[in-house]
């Protein structure tokens, strides 16, 4: 982040339990009469804005659940960037590693029709210009988990991967007395959308084989793996090989072992989720709610998985298969609650709200 200022007023300067690498965007919402066809038009009945971005959404969701979370990001030195920093400063998210550059701030134009269908266009170069400095790399070593989204610039994603791998190697060789952070990756966005902007396919492939938790949505997974069925088979195959080789030392071993690690979840919106734990595939239903706005539900879901499976959780075989099901249902409850409110972050629930939601439906998720 050379030649740029940081925005350290938003955080305490400590090392958060979960360090999220991602955008702190401004979402501009247009409630339109219809999603226009090519050469067509629409009328916006309402125009408003809200705080968004995958990285910020996950960090704020974890903060709302009572977890320590920090954000590694880059905002623009303009009105949008200042608004993003102001909002971030009102949360409990550590903003120590949010830099300010002179590019236009990253923001999304979201068209939403009366049925909740959306079209999203993103602009602004501020997050695309993110670079990892020494302080952010040090914070990764101190964190319990590092989360990245596929919208992260490829150079940043690769450097984060290399950093986590080196920390694993140091722990395995005895050079370091501390556990390496768990690695979480969210494959969001189609392959075409990420070209020249986000994480490249070769780097996504590395995350598939090296992440403790790999999450992909119903658009990104088929786009990357050619189909939804192929995605399940590819992920299960990769994780089976990783689980079989986990006890052996070496650079390919992960920060978490045992029969249910690594883990992945492929989400299908209202059609539920496919969880893959140690290569074993399980299907789960989504909760039925009156959906007001599904934008950001995937980010809320991912935060729920991190909360249950990663943050403060045991890293060994004690995290059994019952814990897998409980984690998916807990995360699905967060996503469902989030869908009942407009915009992403205002509807992110507290832990007590999630527990009440589950209790009302007679669902026991255990720990």
């Amino acid at each position: 982040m050379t030649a740029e200022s940081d925005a350290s007023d938003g955080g305490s300067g400590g090392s958060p339990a979960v360090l999220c690498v991602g955008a702190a965007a401004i979402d501009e919402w247009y409630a339109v009469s219809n999603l226009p066809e090519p050469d067509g038009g629409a009328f916006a009945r309402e125009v408003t804005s809200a705080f968004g971005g995958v990285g910020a959404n996950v960090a704020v969701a974890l903060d709302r659940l009572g977890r320590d979370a920090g954000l590694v990001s880059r905002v623009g030195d303009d009105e949008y960037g200042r608004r993003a920093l102001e909002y971030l400063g009102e949360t409990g998210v550590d903003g120590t590693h949010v830099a300010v550059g002179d590019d236009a701030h990253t923001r999304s134009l979201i068209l939403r029709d009366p049925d909740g269908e959306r079209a999203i266009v993103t602009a602004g170069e501020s997050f695309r210009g993110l670079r990892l400095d020494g302080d952010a790399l040090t914070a990764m070593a101190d964190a319990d988990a590092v989360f990245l989204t596929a919208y992260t610039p490829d150079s940043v994603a690769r450097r984060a991967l290399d950093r986590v791998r080196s920390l694993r190697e140091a722990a395995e060789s005895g050079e370091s007395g501390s556990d390496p952070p768990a690695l979480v990756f969210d494959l969001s966005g189609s392959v075409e959308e990420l070209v020249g902007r986000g994480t490249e396919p070769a780097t996504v492939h590395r995350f598939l084989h090296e992440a403790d938790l790999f999450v992909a949505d119903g658009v990104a997974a088929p786009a990357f793996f050619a189909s939804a069925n192929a995605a399940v088979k590819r992920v299960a195959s990769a994780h089976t090989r990783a689980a079989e080789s986990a006890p052996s030392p070496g650079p390919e071993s992960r920060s978490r072992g045992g029969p249910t690690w690594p883990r992945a979840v492929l989400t299908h919106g209202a059609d539920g989720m496919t969880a893959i734990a140690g290569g074993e595939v399980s299907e789960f239903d989504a909760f039925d709610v009156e959906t007001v706005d599904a934008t950001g539900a995937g980010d809320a879901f991912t935060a729920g998985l991190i909360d249950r499976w990663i943050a403060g959780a045991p890293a060994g075989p004690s995290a059994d298969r019952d814990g897998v099901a409980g984690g998916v249902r807990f995360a699905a409850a967060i996503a469902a609650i989030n869908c009942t409110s407009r915009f992403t972050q205002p509807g992110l629930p507290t832990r007590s709200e999630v527990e009440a939601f589950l209790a009302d439906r007679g669902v026991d998720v255990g720990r």
Side-chain angles (χ1 to χ4, degrees):
M1 299 178 191
T2 307
E4 296 177 339
S5 61
D6 64 47
S8 58
D9 290 347
S12 63
S15 297
V18 183
L19 195 65
C20 301
V21 182
I26 295 293
D27 293 339
E28 297 183 306
W29 290 81
Y30 284 63
V32 296
S33 55
N34 58 282
L35 294 182
E37 299 289 338
D39 297 322
F43 176 74
R45 302 181 308 278
E46 180 185 1
V47 178
T48 188
S49 63
F51 189 49
V54 176
N57 288 343
V58 171
V60 173
L62 288 166
D63 172 58
R64 203 71 57 83
L65 292 170
R67 296 293 185 185
D68 291 332
L71 183 66
V72 176
S73 192
R74 184 173 182 269
V75 302
D77 187 15
D78 55 19
E79 176 190 354
Y80 292 101
R82 288 187 286 274
R83 286 169 56 193
L85 286 178
E86 181 179 355
Y87 185 91
L88 187 65
E90 295 173 355
T91 72
V93 175
D94 185 335
T96 301
H97 304 291
V98 178
V100 179
D102 55 6
D103 311 280
H105 185 69
T106 299
R107 58 195 185 277
S108 294
L109 171 65
I110 303 174
L111 306 180
R112 185 184 62 201
D113 71 11
D115 295 326
E117 295 296 322
R118 296 159 296 151
I120 303 174
V121 178
T122 300
E125 296 289 313
S126 62
F127 182 64
R128 189 168 175 236
L130 176 68
R131 301 293 182 269
L132 293 182
D133 64 6
D135 290 341
L137 293 172
T138 298
M140 288 184 181
D142 295 333
D144 292 331
V146 175
F147 165 80
L148 296 97
T149 165
Y151 293 118
T152 302
D154 190 68
S155 61
V156 174
R158 285 187 283 107
R159 195 170 189 195
L161 266 169
D162 292 342
R163 176 60 167 162
V164 172
R165 174 178 281 195
S166 69
L167 292 169
R168 290 174 177 173
E169 292 175 349
E172 291 162 2
S173 67
E175 296 177 17
S176 171
S178 59
D179 293 331
L183 183 62
V184 182
F185 182 74
D186 171 42
L187 179 58
S188 46
S190 65
V191 175
E192 294 82 3
E193 183 186 357
L194 298 174
V195 172
R197 170 195 176 198
T199 307
E200 297 293 337
T203 310
V204 173
H205 182 76
R206 282 188 61 189
F207 276 108
L208 172 62
H209 288 271
E210 298 187 37
D212 297 280
L213 173 58
F214 184 95
V215 183
D217 65 32
V219 172
F224 186 82
F225 295 103
S227 72
N229 289 336
V232 173
K233 292 179 181 178
R234 284 277 303 278
V235 174
S237 176
H239 285 190
T240 297
R241 291 196 300 272
E244 291 172 348
S245 63
S248 303
E252 297 303 322
S253 63
R254 299 164 185 267
S255 57
R256 287 169 184 260
T260 71
W261 292 95
R263 295 177 181 177
V265 180
L266 309 181
T267 62
H268 317 297
D271 294 327
M273 297 73 64
T274 302
I276 304 166
E280 183 174 303
V281 179
S282 302
E283 302 290 340
F284 296 89
D285 293 330
F287 288 104
D288 186 17
V289 295
E290 188 70 30
T291 298
V292 173
D293 183 3
T295 305
D299 304 338
F301 179 82
T302 300
L305 294 180
I306 294 172
D307 174 84
R308 292 287 297 192
W309 288 351
I310 304 293
S318 59
D320 59 16
R321 297 196 185 279
D322 289 339
V324 172
V328 172
R329 293 188 179 105
F330 182 85
I334 295 176
I337 295 169
N338 187 243
C339 287
T340 63
S341 298
R342 294 183 67 195
F343 316 129
T344 300
Q345 295 188 23
L348 292 171
T350 63
R351 188 174 303 278
S352 61
E353 289 171 336
V354 180
E355 292 170 349
F357 178 93
L358 292 166
D360 287 345
R361 288 156 178 77
V363 178
D364 181 8
V365 297
R367 176 193 61 82

